[in-house]
């Protein structure tokens, strides 16, 4: 299981390195930013609160979507402490950015029970090949089967249209550390 966690975290690190908030918080040196984000994602995806769905091609992990069931989208106290410790190891600038970012996103979490989607990533060199669509189609089927409300955040303008194709609608917007973010909800079945 640890190998899978390491692979998922590495993919999230390198696949999200060009996200606008990641560049503000981690910087624009891609290798360093990818490693820093992967270290934090390793802590997050190890949480038993998350369901992690993956797509593999020829035995290689190429896409990942994590989600938390209703009532479980906020990390546990232990996971929060491990995330804070991991953020602190990245230095005060990164830690402060992560705290501001996640705090602002958390303020937008809906009060209603929901399945919280994220993080989601596809290896950058494989974007546009339908891998994200496979992950989101699975996610949408799961939401429909359980009649659950879906919720997510994104800082990628092009992702807004992608998520809309799977039934998500923008329910809010906010600037976070100077980056426009969208908060999206998918009605329950």
């Amino acid at each position: 299981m640890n190998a899978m966690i390491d692979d998922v975290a590495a993919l999230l690190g390198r696949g999200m390195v060009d996200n606008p908030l990641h560049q503000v918080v981690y910087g624009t040196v891609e290798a360093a930013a990818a490693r820093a984000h992967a270290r934090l994602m390793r802590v997050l995806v190890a949480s038993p609160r998350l369901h992690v769905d993956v797509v593999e091609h020829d035995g290689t992990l190429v896409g990942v979507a994590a989600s938390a069931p209703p009532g479980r989208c906020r990390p546990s106290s232990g996971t929060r402490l491990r995330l804070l410790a991991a953020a602190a190891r990245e230095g005060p600038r990164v830690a402060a950015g992560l705290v501001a970012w996640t705090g602002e996103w958390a303020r937008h979490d809906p009060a209603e029970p929901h399945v919280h989607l994220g993080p989601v990533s596809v290896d950058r060199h494989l974007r546009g090949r339908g891998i994200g669509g496979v992950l989101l189609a699975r996610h949408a089927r799961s939401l429909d089967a359980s009649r659950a409300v879906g919720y997510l955040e994104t800082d990628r303008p092009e992702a807004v249209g992608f998520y809309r194709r799977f039934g998500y609608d923008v329910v809010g917007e906010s600037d976070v550390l100077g980056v426009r973010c969208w908060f999206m909800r998918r009605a329950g079945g």
Side-chain angles (χ1 to χ4, degrees), residues 43-86:
V43 173
L44 185 67
V45 299
S47 169
R49 291 180 177 237
L50 285 184
H51 167 75
V52 178
D53 187 20
V54 300
V55 173
E56 294 180 308
H57 179 70
D58 292 333
T60 300
L61 183 66
V62 296
V64 62
S67 61
R72 310 278 290 197
C73 72
R74 299 259 171 100
S76 68
S77 299
T79 299
R80 277 196 305 270
L81 287 173
R82 288 188 292 281
L83 284 167
L84 282 171

mmCIF file of all heavy atoms in Angstrom, residues 43-86:
data_model
loop_
_atom_site.group_PDB
_atom_site.id
_atom_site.type_symbol
_atom_site.label_atom_id
_atom_site.label_comp_id
_atom_site.label_asym_id
_atom_site.label_seq_id
_atom_site.Cartn_x
_atom_site.Cartn_y
_atom_site.Cartn_z
ATOM 1 N N VAL A 43 0.930 12.630 2.831
ATOM 2 C CA VAL A 43 0.232 12.671 4.120
ATOM 3 C C VAL A 43 -1.283 12.615 3.893
ATOM 4 O O VAL A 43 -1.997 11.844 4.534
ATOM 5 C CB VAL A 43 0.606 13.945 4.914
ATOM 6 C CG1 VAL A 43 -0.244 14.069 6.175
ATOM 7 C CG2 VAL A 43 2.092 13.950 5.246
ATOM 8 N N LEU A 44 -1.774 13.418 2.949
ATOM 9 C CA LEU A 44 -3.218 13.494 2.722
ATOM 10 C C LEU A 44 -3.785 12.179 2.202
ATOM 11 O O LEU A 44 -4.788 11.686 2.716
ATOM 12 C CB LEU A 44 -3.534 14.628 1.738
ATOM 13 C CG LEU A 44 -5.014 14.884 1.515
ATOM 14 C CD1 LEU A 44 -5.672 15.420 2.780
ATOM 15 C CD2 LEU A 44 -5.207 15.858 0.368
ATOM 16 N N VAL A 45 -3.169 11.601 1.185
ATOM 17 C CA VAL A 45 -3.760 10.397 0.581
ATOM 18 C C VAL A 45 -3.601 9.165 1.461
ATOM 19 O O VAL A 45 -4.287 8.169 1.238
ATOM 20 C CB VAL A 45 -3.243 10.126 -0.853
ATOM 21 C CG1 VAL A 45 -3.598 11.272 -1.775
ATOM 22 C CG2 VAL A 45 -1.772 9.820 -0.885
ATOM 23 N N ALA A 46 -2.765 9.242 2.468
ATOM 24 C CA ALA A 46 -2.649 8.129 3.421
ATOM 25 C C ALA A 46 -3.818 8.123 4.407
ATOM 26 O O ALA A 46 -4.017 7.146 5.126
ATOM 27 C CB ALA A 46 -1.323 8.208 4.182
ATOM 28 N N SER A 47 -4.608 9.195 4.402
ATOM 29 C CA SER A 47 -5.735 9.299 5.327
ATOM 30 C C SER A 47 -6.798 8.257 4.986
ATOM 31 O O SER A 47 -7.215 8.148 3.835
ATOM 32 C CB SER A 47 -6.358 10.693 5.241
ATOM 33 O OG SER A 47 -7.588 10.706 5.932
ATOM 34 N N PRO A 48 -7.271 7.531 5.996
ATOM 35 C CA PRO A 48 -8.342 6.565 5.737
ATOM 36 C C PRO A 48 -9.675 7.243 5.398
ATOM 37 O O PRO A 48 -10.610 6.581 4.958
ATOM 38 C CB PRO A 48 -8.442 5.778 7.047
ATOM 39 C CG PRO A 48 -7.839 6.661 8.083
ATOM 40 C CD PRO A 48 -6.822 7.512 7.383
ATOM 41 N N ARG A 49 -9.760 8.563 5.548
ATOM 42 C CA ARG A 49 -10.989 9.288 5.219
ATOM 43 C C ARG A 49 -11.190 9.417 3.713
ATOM 44 O O ARG A 49 -12.285 9.718 3.269
ATOM 45 C CB ARG A 49 -10.966 10.688 5.821
ATOM 46 C CG ARG A 49 -11.064 10.695 7.317
ATOM 47 C CD ARG A 49 -11.033 12.117 7.842
ATOM 48 N NE ARG A 49 -11.207 12.113 9.276
ATOM 49 C CZ ARG A 49 -12.167 12.757 9.907
ATOM 50 N NH1 ARG A 49 -13.027 13.473 9.246
ATOM 51 N NH2 ARG A 49 -12.258 12.701 11.215
ATOM 52 N N LEU A 50 -10.137 9.267 2.942
ATOM 53 C CA LEU A 50 -10.217 9.486 1.504
ATOM 54 C C LEU A 50 -10.403 8.191 0.730
ATOM 55 O O LEU A 50 -9.789 7.171 1.053
ATOM 56 C CB LEU A 50 -8.947 10.160 0.979
ATOM 57 C CG LEU A 50 -8.741 11.623 1.259
ATOM 58 C CD1 LEU A 50 -7.473 12.114 0.564
ATOM 59 C CD2 LEU A 50 -9.928 12.447 0.826
ATOM 60 N N HIS A 51 -11.218 8.279 -0.299
ATOM 61 C CA HIS A 51 -11.305 7.215 -1.298
ATOM 62 C C HIS A 51 -10.429 7.681 -2.462
ATOM 63 O O HIS A 51 -10.586 8.802 -2.944
ATOM 64 C CB HIS A 51 -12.746 7.018 -1.767
ATOM 65 C CG HIS A 51 -12.836 6.175 -2.987
ATOM 66 N ND1 HIS A 51 -12.674 4.810 -2.963
ATOM 67 C CD2 HIS A 51 -13.032 6.510 -4.284
ATOM 68 C CE1 HIS A 51 -12.778 4.339 -4.186
ATOM 69 N NE2 HIS A 51 -13.003 5.355 -5.008
ATOM 70 N N VAL A 52 -9.494 6.857 -2.880
ATOM 71 C CA VAL A 52 -8.595 7.215 -3.974
ATOM 72 C C VAL A 52 -8.885 6.295 -5.152
ATOM 73 O O VAL A 52 -8.782 5.078 -5.039
ATOM 74 C CB VAL A 52 -7.113 7.115 -3.547
ATOM 75 C CG1 VAL A 52 -6.189 7.451 -4.715
ATOM 76 C CG2 VAL A 52 -6.837 8.035 -2.359
ATOM 77 N N ASP A 53 -9.264 6.902 -6.260
ATOM 78 C CA ASP A 53 -9.526 6.180 -7.508
ATOM 79 C C ASP A 53 -8.370 6.476 -8.454
ATOM 80 O O ASP A 53 -7.893 7.613 -8.511
ATOM 81 C CB ASP A 53 -10.849 6.647 -8.108
ATOM 82 C CG ASP A 53 -11.274 5.829 -9.318
ATOM 83 O OD1 ASP A 53 -10.775 4.691 -9.487
ATOM 84 O OD2 ASP A 53 -12.095 6.327 -10.098
ATOM 85 N N VAL A 54 -7.919 5.471 -9.176
ATOM 86 C CA VAL A 54 -6.788 5.655 -10.081
ATOM 87 C C VAL A 54 -7.102 5.097 -11.459
ATOM 88 O O VAL A 54 -7.982 4.253 -11.623
ATOM 89 C CB VAL A 54 -5.502 4.987 -9.534
ATOM 90 C CG1 VAL A 54 -5.105 5.570 -8.184
ATOM 91 C CG2 VAL A 54 -5.644 3.483 -9.453
ATOM 92 N N VAL A 55 -6.359 5.588 -12.430
ATOM 93 C CA VAL A 55 -6.342 5.023 -13.768
ATOM 94 C C VAL A 55 -4.901 4.646 -14.055
ATOM 95 O O VAL A 55 -3.985 5.448 -13.840
ATOM 96 C CB VAL A 55 -6.858 6.026 -14.833
ATOM 97 C CG1 VAL A 55 -6.660 5.468 -16.231
ATOM 98 C CG2 VAL A 55 -8.321 6.359 -14.598
ATOM 99 N N GLU A 56 -4.725 3.408 -14.504
ATOM 100 C CA GLU A 56 -3.401 2.929 -14.883
ATOM 101 C C GLU A 56 -3.410 2.588 -16.365
ATOM 102 O O GLU A 56 -4.441 2.227 -16.925
ATOM 103 C CB GLU A 56 -3.027 1.686 -14.074
ATOM 104 C CG GLU A 56 -2.845 1.965 -12.595
ATOM 105 C CD GLU A 56 -2.483 0.728 -11.805
ATOM 106 O OE1 GLU A 56 -3.210 -0.283 -11.935
ATOM 107 O OE2 GLU A 56 -1.469 0.774 -11.096
ATOM 108 N N HIS A 57 -2.250 2.727 -16.974
ATOM 109 C CA HIS A 57 -2.072 2.321 -18.365
ATOM 110 C C HIS A 57 -0.783 1.519 -18.435
ATOM 111 O O HIS A 57 0.279 2.007 -18.051
ATOM 112 C CB HIS A 57 -2.003 3.542 -19.281
ATOM 113 C CG HIS A 57 -1.808 3.189 -20.716
ATOM 114 N ND1 HIS A 57 -2.806 2.586 -21.455
ATOM 115 C CD2 HIS A 57 -0.742 3.326 -21.527
ATOM 116 C CE1 HIS A 57 -2.351 2.379 -22.674
ATOM 117 N NE2 HIS A 57 -1.104 2.816 -22.741
ATOM 118 N N ASP A 58 -0.908 0.289 -18.885
ATOM 119 C CA ASP A 58 0.251 -0.620 -18.958
ATOM 120 C C ASP A 58 1.002 -0.695 -17.633
ATOM 121 O O ASP A 58 2.231 -0.682 -17.594
ATOM 122 C CB ASP A 58 1.206 -0.198 -20.085
ATOM 123 C CG ASP A 58 0.602 -0.384 -21.460
ATOM 124 O OD1 ASP A 58 -0.276 -1.260 -21.608
ATOM 125 O OD2 ASP A 58 0.998 0.349 -22.385
ATOM 126 N N GLY A 59 0.245 -0.744 -16.531
ATOM 127 C CA GLY A 59 0.847 -0.886 -15.216
ATOM 128 C C GLY A 59 1.411 0.391 -14.628
ATOM 129 O O GLY A 59 2.016 0.365 -13.559
ATOM 130 N N THR A 60 1.226 1.514 -15.309
ATOM 131 C CA THR A 60 1.736 2.795 -14.822
ATOM 132 C C THR A 60 0.564 3.682 -14.424
ATOM 133 O O THR A 60 -0.399 3.823 -15.172
ATOM 134 C CB THR A 60 2.557 3.503 -15.921
ATOM 135 O OG1 THR A 60 3.650 2.663 -16.289
ATOM 136 C CG2 THR A 60 3.086 4.847 -15.441
ATOM 137 N N LEU A 61 0.663 4.274 -13.266
ATOM 138 C CA LEU A 61 -0.357 5.193 -12.776
ATOM 139 C C LEU A 61 -0.347 6.448 -13.643
ATOM 140 O O LEU A 61 0.703 7.078 -13.815
ATOM 141 C CB LEU A 61 -0.071 5.553 -11.324
ATOM 142 C CG LEU A 61 -1.062 6.452 -10.627
ATOM 143 C CD1 LEU A 61 -2.401 5.757 -10.465
ATOM 144 C CD2 LEU A 61 -0.518 6.860 -9.270
ATOM 145 N N VAL A 62 -1.512 6.822 -14.200
ATOM 146 C CA VAL A 62 -1.581 7.989 -15.083
ATOM 147 C C VAL A 62 -2.612 9.019 -14.627
ATOM 148 O O VAL A 62 -2.615 10.149 -15.112
ATOM 149 C CB VAL A 62 -1.844 7.584 -16.551
ATOM 150 C CG1 VAL A 62 -0.671 6.767 -17.103
ATOM 151 C CG2 VAL A 62 -3.149 6.823 -16.700
ATOM 152 N N GLY A 63 -3.508 8.646 -13.723
ATOM 153 C CA GLY A 63 -4.514 9.585 -13.243
ATOM 154 C C GLY A 63 -5.009 9.187 -11.868
ATOM 155 O O GLY A 63 -5.008 8.008 -11.517
ATOM 156 N N VAL A 64 -5.415 10.194 -11.091
ATOM 157 C CA VAL A 64 -5.903 9.950 -9.740
ATOM 158 C C VAL A 64 -6.993 10.960 -9.391
ATOM 159 O O VAL A 64 -6.934 12.115 -9.804
ATOM 160 C CB VAL A 64 -4.746 10.016 -8.707
ATOM 161 C CG1 VAL A 64 -4.100 11.378 -8.672
ATOM 162 C CG2 VAL A 64 -5.206 9.614 -7.326
ATOM 163 N N ALA A 65 -7.995 10.478 -8.680
ATOM 164 C CA ALA A 65 -9.045 11.343 -8.129
ATOM 165 C C ALA A 65 -9.344 10.854 -6.719
ATOM 166 O O ALA A 65 -9.689 9.690 -6.526
ATOM 167 C CB ALA A 65 -10.304 11.287 -8.986
ATOM 168 N N ALA A 66 -9.195 11.740 -5.768
ATOM 169 C CA ALA A 66 -9.512 11.407 -4.378
ATOM 170 C C ALA A 66 -10.820 12.091 -4.007
ATOM 171 O O ALA A 66 -11.142 13.164 -4.522
ATOM 172 C CB ALA A 66 -8.395 11.868 -3.453
ATOM 173 N N SER A 67 -11.564 11.462 -3.136
ATOM 174 C CA SER A 67 -12.802 12.068 -2.653
ATOM 175 C C SER A 67 -13.039 11.655 -1.217
ATOM 176 O O SER A 67 -12.592 10.594 -0.780
ATOM 177 C CB SER A 67 -13.993 11.670 -3.532
ATOM 178 O OG SER A 67 -14.178 10.275 -3.513
ATOM 179 N N ALA A 68 -13.740 12.521 -0.520
ATOM 180 C CA ALA A 68 -14.093 12.246 0.870
ATOM 181 C C ALA A 68 -15.608 12.165 0.968
ATOM 182 O O ALA A 68 -16.314 13.008 0.413
ATOM 183 C CB ALA A 68 -13.570 13.353 1.777
ATOM 184 N N PRO A 69 -16.121 11.162 1.674
ATOM 185 C CA PRO A 69 -17.573 11.003 1.801
ATOM 186 C C PRO A 69 -18.175 12.084 2.691
ATOM 187 O O PRO A 69 -17.451 12.797 3.394
ATOM 188 C CB PRO A 69 -17.715 9.616 2.427
ATOM 189 C CG PRO A 69 -16.447 9.394 3.162
ATOM 190 C CD PRO A 69 -15.386 10.124 2.391
ATOM 191 N N PRO A 70 -19.486 12.210 2.676
ATOM 192 C CA PRO A 70 -20.153 13.217 3.516
ATOM 193 C C PRO A 70 -19.683 13.143 4.969
ATOM 194 O O PRO A 70 -19.529 12.059 5.539
ATOM 195 C CB PRO A 70 -21.636 12.850 3.394
ATOM 196 C CG PRO A 70 -21.750 12.199 2.054
ATOM 197 C CD PRO A 70 -20.459 11.423 1.908
ATOM 198 N N GLY A 71 -19.420 14.313 5.511
ATOM 199 C CA GLY A 71 -18.995 14.411 6.901
ATOM 200 C C GLY A 71 -17.530 14.113 7.136
ATOM 201 O O GLY A 71 -17.072 14.177 8.277
ATOM 202 N N ARG A 72 -16.795 13.818 6.090
ATOM 203 C CA ARG A 72 -15.387 13.430 6.261
ATOM 204 C C ARG A 72 -14.421 14.272 5.419
ATOM 205 O O ARG A 72 -13.268 13.906 5.251
ATOM 206 C CB ARG A 72 -15.201 11.960 5.892
ATOM 207 C CG ARG A 72 -16.160 10.977 6.533
ATOM 208 C CD ARG A 72 -15.778 10.591 7.894
ATOM 209 N NE ARG A 72 -14.599 9.763 7.848
ATOM 210 C CZ ARG A 72 -14.191 9.014 8.832
ATOM 211 N NH1 ARG A 72 -14.877 8.976 9.931
ATOM 212 N NH2 ARG A 72 -13.093 8.309 8.745
ATOM 213 N N CYS A 73 -14.892 15.417 4.868
ATOM 214 C CA CYS A 73 -14.030 16.151 3.944
ATOM 215 C C CYS A 73 -12.933 16.936 4.653
ATOM 216 O O CYS A 73 -11.927 17.243 4.040
ATOM 217 C CB CYS A 73 -14.844 17.048 3.007
ATOM 218 S SG CYS A 73 -15.572 18.492 3.762
ATOM 219 N N ARG A 74 -13.114 17.232 5.896
ATOM 220 C CA ARG A 74 -12.036 17.894 6.634
ATOM 221 C C ARG A 74 -11.117 16.820 7.204
ATOM 222 O O ARG A 74 -11.584 15.825 7.769
ATOM 223 C CB ARG A 74 -12.603 18.735 7.765
ATOM 224 C CG ARG A 74 -13.529 19.835 7.276
ATOM 225 C CD ARG A 74 -12.824 21.168 7.248
ATOM 226 N NE ARG A 74 -13.626 22.172 6.596
ATOM 227 C CZ ARG A 74 -14.359 23.078 7.229
ATOM 228 N NH1 ARG A 74 -14.422 23.069 8.539
ATOM 229 N NH2 ARG A 74 -15.022 23.975 6.540
ATOM 230 N N PRO A 75 -9.812 16.994 7.055
ATOM 231 C CA PRO A 75 -8.895 15.985 7.597
ATOM 232 C C PRO A 75 -9.083 15.819 9.101
ATOM 233 O O PRO A 75 -9.459 16.767 9.797
ATOM 234 C CB PRO A 75 -7.503 16.551 7.288
ATOM 235 C CG PRO A 75 -7.722 17.538 6.188
ATOM 236 C CD PRO A 75 -9.108 18.083 6.389
ATOM 237 N N SER A 76 -8.802 14.630 9.584
ATOM 238 C CA SER A 76 -8.864 14.377 11.027
ATOM 239 C C SER A 76 -7.814 15.235 11.729
ATOM 240 O O SER A 76 -6.900 15.779 11.100
ATOM 241 C CB SER A 76 -8.587 12.903 11.306
ATOM 242 O OG SER A 76 -7.233 12.606 11.002
ATOM 243 N N SER A 77 -7.924 15.338 13.045
ATOM 244 C CA SER A 77 -6.953 16.119 13.821
ATOM 245 C C SER A 77 -5.541 15.612 13.602
ATOM 246 O O SER A 77 -4.614 16.398 13.424
ATOM 247 C CB SER A 77 -7.294 16.053 15.318
ATOM 248 O OG SER A 77 -8.554 16.589 15.552
ATOM 249 N N GLY A 78 -5.377 14.300 13.605
ATOM 250 C CA GLY A 78 -4.052 13.720 13.396
ATOM 251 C C GLY A 78 -3.500 14.036 12.009
ATOM 252 O O GLY A 78 -2.327 14.387 11.868
ATOM 253 N N THR A 79 -4.339 13.929 10.994
ATOM 254 C CA THR A 79 -3.897 14.243 9.634
ATOM 255 C C THR A 79 -3.573 15.724 9.514
ATOM 256 O O THR A 79 -2.576 16.104 8.885
ATOM 257 C CB THR A 79 -4.953 13.820 8.597
ATOM 258 O OG1 THR A 79 -5.140 12.405 8.692
ATOM 259 C CG2 THR A 79 -4.524 14.180 7.187
ATOM 260 N N ARG A 80 -4.377 16.584 10.133
ATOM 261 C CA ARG A 80 -4.094 18.030 10.098
ATOM 262 C C ARG A 80 -2.738 18.329 10.725
ATOM 263 O O ARG A 80 -1.960 19.129 10.192
ATOM 264 C CB ARG A 80 -5.197 18.812 10.807
ATOM 265 C CG ARG A 80 -6.396 19.074 9.921
ATOM 266 C CD ARG A 80 -7.303 20.167 10.474
ATOM 267 N NE ARG A 80 -7.765 19.946 11.823
ATOM 268 C CZ ARG A 80 -8.882 19.297 12.145
ATOM 269 N NH1 ARG A 80 -9.647 18.791 11.213
ATOM 270 N NH2 ARG A 80 -9.225 19.151 13.400
ATOM 271 N N LEU A 81 -2.448 17.681 11.847
ATOM 272 C CA LEU A 81 -1.150 17.903 12.492
ATOM 273 C C LEU A 81 -0.005 17.427 11.602
ATOM 274 O O LEU A 81 1.022 18.103 11.483
ATOM 275 C CB LEU A 81 -1.093 17.194 13.849
ATOM 276 C CG LEU A 81 -1.919 17.833 14.957
ATOM 277 C CD1 LEU A 81 -1.914 16.945 16.202
ATOM 278 C CD2 LEU A 81 -1.381 19.222 15.279
ATOM 279 N N ARG A 82 -0.174 16.270 10.963
ATOM 280 C CA ARG A 82 0.862 15.772 10.054
ATOM 281 C C ARG A 82 1.020 16.683 8.838
ATOM 282 O O ARG A 82 2.138 16.916 8.368
ATOM 283 C CB ARG A 82 0.558 14.332 9.637
ATOM 284 C CG ARG A 82 0.795 13.319 10.772
ATOM 285 C CD ARG A 82 0.676 11.872 10.326
ATOM 286 N NE ARG A 82 -0.678 11.498 9.952
ATOM 287 C CZ ARG A 82 -1.659 11.200 10.801
ATOM 288 N NH1 ARG A 82 -1.442 11.227 12.095
ATOM 289 N NH2 ARG A 82 -2.857 10.844 10.365
ATOM 290 N N LEU A 83 -0.090 17.214 8.329
ATOM 291 C CA LEU A 83 -0.019 18.156 7.206
ATOM 292 C C LEU A 83 0.689 19.447 7.614
ATOM 293 O O LEU A 83 1.518 19.971 6.859
ATOM 294 C CB LEU A 83 -1.412 18.465 6.674
ATOM 295 C CG LEU A 83 -2.061 17.390 5.818
ATOM 296 C CD1 LEU A 83 -3.548 17.683 5.621
ATOM 297 C CD2 LEU A 83 -1.352 17.264 4.477
ATOM 298 N N LEU A 84 0.374 19.962 8.800
ATOM 299 C CA LEU A 84 1.048 21.177 9.280
ATOM 300 C C LEU A 84 2.536 20.944 9.455
ATOM 301 O O LEU A 84 3.350 21.802 9.102
ATOM 302 C CB LEU A 84 0.418 21.651 10.588
ATOM 303 C CG LEU A 84 -0.903 22.386 10.461
ATOM 304 C CD1 LEU A 84 -1.537 22.610 11.833
ATOM 305 C CD2 LEU A 84 -0.714 23.710 9.737
ATOM 306 N N ALA A 85 2.904 19.777 9.998
ATOM 307 C CA ALA A 85 4.323 19.470 10.164
ATOM 308 C C ALA A 85 5.014 19.370 8.804
ATOM 309 O O ALA A 85 6.123 19.889 8.619
ATOM 310 C CB ALA A 85 4.496 18.164 10.953
ATOM 311 N N ALA A 86 4.358 18.725 7.851
ATOM 312 C CA ALA A 86 4.941 18.612 6.504
ATOM 313 C C ALA A 86 5.059 19.990 5.865
ATOM 314 O O ALA A 86 6.066 20.301 5.211
ATOM 315 C CB ALA A 86 4.085 17.684 5.636
#
